[in-house]
Amino acid sequence: MVNRKKRLFFLTAAAVLCLMATSCGSASDGFDGRMEEPPITLLLKNNLPDESITTKAVEWFSEQVEERTEGRVKIEVLNNADMGDGRACLEQLQYGGTDIVKADVSALGNFVEEFNVLGMPYIYEDPEHFWAVHNGPIGEELLKGAQMAELGMYGLTYYDGGSRCFYSSRGEIHSPGDLEGLAVRVQQSETALSMARALGARPVTADYSELYRTLQSKEADAAENSIVNYYAQAFYEVAPYFTEDNHTRSADVLVMSLESRKKLSEGDLLILDKTAEESCEYQRKLWAEEEAAVREALLQKNAVITQLTDSEYEAFRQVCEQIWYSYRDGRYIDLIDRIVAVGYLQKLPEQGGEIYESGSE
């Protein structure tokens, strides 16, 4: 027979268990006894303003990741470079001080110099060549390569940063000779300055915020930027001749901290990476629509838009080829040759080239 003390112990234990079950609720109350994991919140720093096309793509990426992970991963987007410029944010990214950064290729070039090669003047035949490089093996090797990993960075995707073109107050530009002796405002970068000098222009490095005044006062005869920015900043009022020479095509980049990637499950990382790739396609579509709308708006403003013929473009390209191969004393010739080869291979079918299988006549 169970003695009195043991019986009292069992009764007391049973009562305690009953009270615990009552206080915790039951399955019928909608609670199964398990604690839900709190969502993981990632901080994305974006150096562009709220109204930017690329900002719309970044915010779409954020919304889609939260929806597709069923709320397990949330991405908080900070626009307008509120937390520093692209380079400063990438420095924070290296040690996990921020999770994701929307920067541009030139900012990444401060960390991995090969990215600067992607911005060489006149190196791309057309947009298809540009994207075949960036979304192909070359671009992927740079985004997700060993150098990025050593810096604690992981490239998610590229965005269209637009192509830079010349615009002038002096008249249409069809050849390098039309730039001879002109004061041309360019970016403060080695390749931009070299390009202006190679084309016979005198480079001016005025601050972008002062560019309208610089053109208006004739301190610069010409400048260069994307057609979207040309319209947004009303440069057509002081330099109405816009030449679509597309001398440099640039990309923006979405980069994630390797340290931050450790916070996510393998499944959620796959969702995030796939969504980033899709945001590239979304952004490119928005950018193309914006360029078309801006081009039409500029014609209404009586701007003169000049499109180069193939032979005119080739004249600019031949002058600037020297810049590619002299950059850093020829250190990146192999990479440049690979980029040029992608464009050459794309043109083969147009030239009637044939591919012969082994053993065929």
Side-chain angles (χ1 to χ4, degrees):
M1 235 180 122
V2 177
N3 64 38
R4 181 182 174 82
K5 286 184 178 180
K6 286 186 177 180
R7 186 167 178 274
L8 285 172
F9 172 79
F10 289 134
L11 287 172
T12 302
V16 170
L17 289 172
C18 183
L19 284 170
M20 290 175 64
T22 302
S23 64
C24 291
S26 63
S28 62
D29 295 325
F31 183 75
D32 61 5
R34 294 177 296 178
M35 295 292 291
E36 287 190 16
E37 290 289 333
I40 295 169
T41 300
L42 303 175
L43 183 61
L44 190 160
K45 296 181 181 178
N46 170 35
N47 61 347
L48 294 173
D50 296 336
E51 63 274 12
S52 164
I53 290 296
T54 303
T55 295
K56 293 178 183 178
V58 166
E59 291 175 342
W60 180 89
F61 164 69
S62 169
E63 293 164 2
Q64 289 297 310
V65 166
E66 182 172 354
E67 179 180 325
R68 295 177 187 187
T69 61
E70 299 178 339
R72 293 186 301 275
V73 181
K74 296 185 177 182
I75 300 176
E76 180 184 351
V77 181
L78 294 180
N79 300 328
N80 301 297
D82 286 342
M83 305 296 286
D85 61 17
R87 180 171 181 171
C89 290
L90 288 170
E91 289 172 348
Q92 296 167 24
L93 190 85
Q94 290 181 272
Y95 60 83
T98 193
D99 302 298
I100 305 174
V101 172
K102 200 302 296 171
D104 50 49
V105 162
S106 61
L108 264 180
N110 292 301
F111 301 87
V112 179
E113 197 170 72
E114 281 84 347
F115 279 107
N116 292 326
V117 177
L118 296 180
M120 288 291 170
Y122 301 103
I123 200 167
Y124 302 108
E125 302 277 353
D126 48 37
E128 289 71 30
H129 183 190
F130 174 86
W131 285 110
V133 169
H134 284 70
N135 285 344
I138 295 172
E140 286 296 294
E141 288 167 17
L142 290 178
L143 267 190
K144 298 173 172 63
Q147 289 189 75
M148 289 284 281
E150 289 170 6
L151 293 166
M153 300 180 187
Y154 182 89
L156 292 170
T157 194
Y158 293 101
Y159 292 135
D160 196 337
S163 59
R164 299 184 75 88
C165 302
F166 289 113
Y167 48 94
S168 168
S169 61
R170 291 295 190 91
E172 294 185 52
I173 297 170
H174 287 271
S175 70
D178 294 329
L179 288 167
E180 187 76 38
L182 295 188
V184 180
R185 187 271 178 184
V186 294
Q187 291 178 300
Q188 182 70 47
S189 75
E190 180 182 344
T191 53
L193 292 168
S194 297
M195 174 189 69
R197 294 185 183 111
L199 293 171
R202 177 168 55 86
V204 174
T205 55
D207 288 342
Y208 187 64
S209 61
E210 291 291 314
L211 181 52
Y212 187 100
R213 184 199 62 77
T214 302
L215 289 165
Q216 188 177 41
S217 64
K218 307 301 181 184
E219 295 172 49
D221 303 304
E224 43 93 46
N225 213 307
S226 72
I227 194 170
V228 172
N229 287 340
Y230 173 72
Y231 177 74
Q233 301 299 320
F235 291 137
Y236 55 85
E237 295 176 348
V238 288
Y241 300 97
F242 188 91
T243 299
E244 292 192 286
D245 66 304
N246 303 309
H247 48 263
T248 55
R249 297 181 183 272
S250 60
D252 284 340
V253 193
L254 203 59
V255 185
M256 188 171 183
S257 166
L258 281 177
E259 194 64 30
S260 299
R261 288 179 70 82
K262 296 175 184 177
K263 302 176 185 178
L264 275 59
S265 69
E266 185 175 337
D268 285 343
L269 278 176
L270 288 173
I271 291 172
L272 185 143
D273 291 350
K274 177 64 175 174
T275 306
E277 292 175 5
E278 291 179 14
S279 74
C280 168
E281 297 303 316
Y282 178 67
Q283 190 267 352
R284 287 176 61 185
K285 176 178 177 293
L286 292 179
W287 188 271
E289 291 172 352
E290 182 72 3
E291 282 192 337
V294 161
R295 193 173 286 107
E296 183 61 32
L298 283 169
L299 294 176
Q300 299 301 317
K301 299 290 185 180
N302 296 319
V304 178
I305 300 177
T306 301
Q307 294 183 330
L308 298 182
T309 65
D310 289 346
S311 60
E312 286 174 338
Y313 181 85
E314 186 61 25
F316 282 94
R317 180 186 176 98
Q318 288 179 4
V319 170
C320 289
E321 274 189 17
Q322 58 178 300
I323 299 171
W324 312 346
Y325 296 108
S326 61
Y327 180 72
R328 294 290 186 267
D329 296 322
R331 188 186 309 170
Y332 300 108
I333 287 177
D334 289 345
L335 176 57
I336 289 167
D337 283 344
R338 288 180 66 196
I339 292 172
V340 173
V342 171
Y344 176 74
L345 290 172
Q346 281 189 314
K347 292 170 68 175
L348 282 180
E350 299 175 7
Q351 297 171 349
E354 298 180 354
I355 300 175
Y356 293 90
E357 294 183 3
S358 177
S360 62
E361 296 183 359

